Amino acid sequence: MHQSKLWYHSIEEGILQLLHKLNRPETNFEFNPVLLGNTKSGNKIKLGPSIYALKILKILNNKEFLKNKTILEWGDFINSFQKQNSKFPENSFIDEDYLTEITKFNLQNDFKNFIKKIILSFNEKVPFEENEKKIVKSVIAETKQAISTLNEFNMKNKYLYIDFPRLDSSIKNYLDSYNWQYPWNSGAQFAGQCLFISSQLPEDERLQCKKVLSSYIKNKVNKETGFYYEGSLPQSAQLVNGAMKVLTGLRWIDEEIHYPKKIIDYSLNYVPNREGCDLVDVVYVLSLCGKQSGYKKNQIIKYFDNILNMVKEHYQPKTGGFSYFINKSQTHYYGLKISDGRDTSDLHGTLLCLWAISIILDFKEDSSQNWNILKP
């Protein structure tokens, strides 16, 4: 059956041109995070933008970019960031330029952080994190991102990353150290543990740890709502975005979603904000729950059509690609200011919006684009 041409059928060439413009001339694998308005810090960071660019090419299934030799060299480039630094877990992926810039950035903002800490000390519901802890979490997040990206291309990290909880009690204690009233954060830690355990451990230990994680998350699911949290019902964004993290983890440990129909019922009434992360998170959650259960497929497709209209608002036809915000590029990367937020395309926004479209087309069984689906 002939399908009329839709706006996203003609975006691939513009995205490839955007990647060429963002590619730093001195290397094949370094990219600026935004097209216009990069800060000095944005012009220096390497690992994150490189991963974003590679993931975009993976989705687009672009054979010209993704030649075997290039992919192997790109994998070597990503693996070159595995470093030994006593401040971080052994064999972490560390972008030294990010560390230098975030340290300078935090020094400039110490007074603001001091005031924020005082204000939040009167509000027990909102936790405050010291800068040092935030940086450690950022390095762990980049490590997770690097390992999962290598995994997308059937490549491995050069050195095993095993400096994470592996005993039954230590896994539980680690995950319990996070507040499950805020599942976006705690769910991300669960997903990270699932990835590390599934990709870094020998089979016997891997299987045992998977059982521990499976049992742990089963105790966090709320049987009434189907979501993963503790205490009173969190805000909608926390619920849905937290579920995205947990469902990512469940995929890594080969576990099914516990109450997919309940999650679908709630999410179909969820109105996401217009940021790139929020859009792709609800699409990811509904797609996985819908595929597992077969529940309300037509309603999900109708919801996805509305999401596509929201995604289109981020599209930048003049420059190719998408912006993270509507008419505004991504401004921060793990707490570091990387741009002044102009009305232009950026790597992160392009990745997230493209990823959302690819998931939607896959769910609708629309093969018009022949794109790939990422495993976060």
Side-chain angles (χ1 to χ4, degrees), residues 164-173 197 205 208-209 212:
F164 55 87
R166 293 154 63 186
L167 299 175
D168 295 14
S169 58
S170 59
I171 292 173
K172 184 179 184 301
N173 290 339
I197 282 165
E205 190 175 1
Q208 178 58 35
C209 289
V212 175

Side-chain angles (χ1 to χ4, degrees), residues 72 116 122 198 205 264 274 330 362 369:
L72 291 174
K116 185 177 179 181
F122 295 101
S198 298
E205 190 175 1
I264 289 171
R274 297 302 209 261
Q330 178 68 288
D362 177 70
Q369 296 303 96

Side-chain angles (χ1 to χ4, degrees), residues 111-329:
F111 181 71
K112 292 180 182 178
N113 284 321
F114 175 71
I115 298 299
K116 185 177 179 181
K117 183 176 182 179
I118 293 174
I119 293 171
L120 291 182
S121 68
F122 295 101
N123 186 352
E124 296 180 356
K125 294 183 179 181
V126 182
F128 178 84
E129 284 188 327
E130 299 288 351
N131 285 329
E132 291 78 7
K133 187 175 181 179
K134 287 181 182 178
I135 294 173
V136 172
K137 283 179 63 177
S138 296
V139 168
I140 294 174
E142 279 209 311
T143 298
K144 173 184 177 294
Q145 187 170 224
I147 292 173
S148 66
T149 302
L150 291 168
N151 187 274
E152 283 280 356
F153 294 91
N154 298 313
M155 294 186 289
K156 300 289 185 181
N157 40 302
K158 188 174 182 180
Y159 305 106
L160 283 175
Y161 177 85
I162 55 175
D163 195 353
F164 55 87
R166 293 154 63 186
L167 299 175
D168 295 14
S169 58
S170 59
I171 292 173
K172 184 179 184 301
N173 290 339
Y174 173 77
L175 292 175
D176 277 345
S177 70
Y178 292 91
N179 187 349
W180 280 86
Q181 181 65 38
Y182 301 93
W184 196 348
N185 183 22
S186 51
Q189 308 312 314
F190 171 78
Q193 293 303 296
C194 292
L195 164 64
F196 295 143
I197 282 165
S198 298
S199 64
Q200 304 298 297
L201 298 182
E203 185 177 6
D204 289 348
E205 190 175 1
R206 180 169 68 244
L207 292 174
Q208 178 58 35
C209 289
K210 281 185 175 182
K211 289 179 182 178
V212 175
L213 287 166
S214 176
S215 175
Y216 180 88
I217 202 62
K218 188 175 181 180
N219 291 322
K220 297 299 180 188
V221 64
N222 184 290
K223 296 179 180 179
E224 297 300 318
T225 66
F227 286 91
Y228 303 87
Y229 62 94
E230 284 186 335
S232 58
L233 187 71
Q235 294 180 345
S236 296
Q238 279 284 343
L239 276 181
V240 175
N241 295 318
M244 186 273 181
K245 303 300 186 185
V246 172
L247 268 54
T248 296
L250 293 178
R251 288 187 69 189
W252 279 106
I253 60 174
D254 304 310
E255 285 290 332
E256 290 197 332
I257 304 161
H258 297 84
Y259 298 101
K261 293 182 179 180
K262 292 183 178 181
I263 293 177
I264 289 171
D265 282 334
Y266 185 95
S267 299
L268 285 174
N269 293 309
Y270 173 61
V271 180
N273 67 40
R274 297 302 209 261
E275 294 182 14
C277 281
D278 218 37
L279 294 174
V280 76
D281 283 0
V282 69
V283 167
Y284 182 86
V285 168
L286 278 171
S287 175
L288 287 190
C289 290
K291 283 190 170 186
Q292 180 178 312
S293 66
Y295 180 61
K296 291 189 175 180
K297 182 174 182 178
N298 290 335
Q299 289 94 319
I300 294 174
I301 289 175
K302 184 177 179 181
Y303 183 93
F304 282 170
D305 287 339
N306 290 328
I307 294 292
L308 284 172
N309 290 330
M310 295 182 188
V311 171
K312 187 178 180 181
E313 294 181 271
H314 295 253
Y315 184 47
Q316 297 271 348
K318 291 183 179 179
T319 55
F322 298 81
S323 54
Y324 184 87
F325 305 99
I326 296 175
N327 302 324
K328 180 182 176 182
S329 70

